[in-house]
Amino acid sequence: MAKSPQTSGFQPLDREGLVQQVSTLLTKAIVTGQLAPGARLSESVVARELGVSRAPVREAARLLENSGLVTYHANRGFFVRETSAEALSNLYELRIVIETAAAMRVIRHGLSETIDRLAAQIDALHEVAQQGADMLTQVEADMEFHRLLCAGSGNPKFLHVFEQIAAETEFSIMVIGRLYDDPHKIAETHEPIVNALRRGDEAGTRHAIGYHIGVAQDLVTEQFRRLESGSAEP
């Protein structure tokens, strides 16, 4: 009996915005673990299941390479990136630098509308927690707060860099399963940032962002060190 072709559960796409659609689908598959770290990203398999040519799949894979989710090996193709505790620590350190700089612009340029949007996103985070949403929805809502901060800073370069590392951050959190036992805690940890921004307190904002992202940095990297040593709890 002939062996059935390899499948990954993707559904065919229409022809509009193919590269971005493929990139979004592959990102979600990697972040949620549907495509595991180290797995080969077969262009032919993905293209067949999505009902597209290999060209948009290859372009999408290049986008994922730029965002740190996949790596390319000559003559072998693309593979889902296997990250490390050190790499993730560096990632969170970069986030602290970028988001602190974005927040300083918000204060110095009096961008009160940005602060209002951030406060509204905290409400959205509480709503997600109240609804008992799945982990991916919680993580996406969390990252949207930080995306709004960068987008609302008035410097598009901050948002550009943030978008390059956002998916890798989501991936790291999904791999360890959670940051806090109480999902409302995710929302609450953002409140000191908004409070400091409202006061126009630069030092307080720096501290709030450093503490908020730093705690996540410690939790994520510690769990990855356990995974690397094979001692992570189930």
Side-chain angles (χ1 to χ4, degrees):
M1 179 181 294
K3 187 176 180 181
S4 300
Q6 179 185 355
T7 63
S8 301
F10 295 118
Q11 299 297 318
L13 295 175
D14 60 31
R15 298 294 174 180
E16 183 179 353
L18 283 179
V19 174
Q20 190 56 53
Q21 290 183 73
V22 173
S23 175
T24 299
L25 284 171
L26 291 177
T27 296
K28 185 173 182 180
I30 293 171
V31 168
T32 60
Q34 182 181 348
L35 292 172
R40 182 171 179 271
L41 190 62
S42 173
E43 294 176 18
S44 59
V45 170
V46 174
R48 183 180 67 246
E49 294 186 5
L50 295 180
V52 300
S53 69
R54 293 177 63 170
V57 176
R58 188 176 302 110
E59 290 181 52
R62 290 295 184 191
L63 292 178
L64 267 61
E65 183 181 24
N66 291 337
S67 65
L69 288 181
V70 304
T71 57
Y72 179 76
H73 299 282
N75 302 318
R76 296 179 61 202
F78 292 96
F79 291 80
V80 178
R81 181 180 175 185
E82 296 183 272
T83 192
S84 66
E86 182 178 3
L88 289 174
S89 181
N90 293 338
L91 174 71
Y92 279 88
E93 185 176 333
L94 175 60
R95 282 190 56 198
I96 291 173
V97 172
I98 294 169
E99 295 185 38
T100 298
M104 293 304 100
R105 282 185 60 89
V106 170
I107 292 175
R108 292 167 187 174
H109 292 268
L111 302 176
S112 59
E113 291 183 358
T114 296
I115 301 173
D116 291 340
R117 286 192 287 269
L118 293 174
Q121 187 59 26
I122 292 178
D123 292 338
L125 279 162
H126 278 296
E127 182 63 24
V128 165
Q130 187 65 35
Q131 293 172 352
D134 59 51
M135 186 62 189
L136 179 59
T137 301
Q138 294 178 40
V139 172
E140 289 177 339
D142 179 356
M143 293 303 292
E144 182 61 19
F145 176 94
H146 300 276
R147 182 176 286 104
L148 288 170
L149 173 59
C150 293
S153 69
N155 185 335
K157 294 296 184 181
F158 292 146
L159 179 61
H160 177 71
V161 175
F162 179 85
E163 294 290 11
Q164 289 184 308
I165 62 177
E168 191 176 357
T169 303
E170 292 178 359
F171 168 72
S172 70
I173 299 173
M174 291 297 294
V175 167
I176 69 171
R178 67 181 187 277
L179 285 179
Y180 304 101
D181 291 329
D182 180 0
H184 283 285
K185 183 68 174 177
I186 298 177
E188 293 168 1
T189 58
H190 294 80
E191 291 171 0
I193 299 174
V194 170
N195 291 339
L197 287 169
R198 289 264 191 231
R199 296 193 305 269
D201 180 354
E202 292 191 10
T205 300
R206 290 179 185 276
H207 174 77
I209 291 175
Y211 180 79
H212 171 73
I213 299 178
V215 168
Q217 177 184 25
D218 291 342
L219 291 170
V220 169
T221 55
E222 175 60 26
Q223 185 65 6
F224 263 82
R225 287 191 183 95
R226 292 185 179 185
L227 289 170
E228 290 169 349
S229 67
S231 61
E233 297 180 1

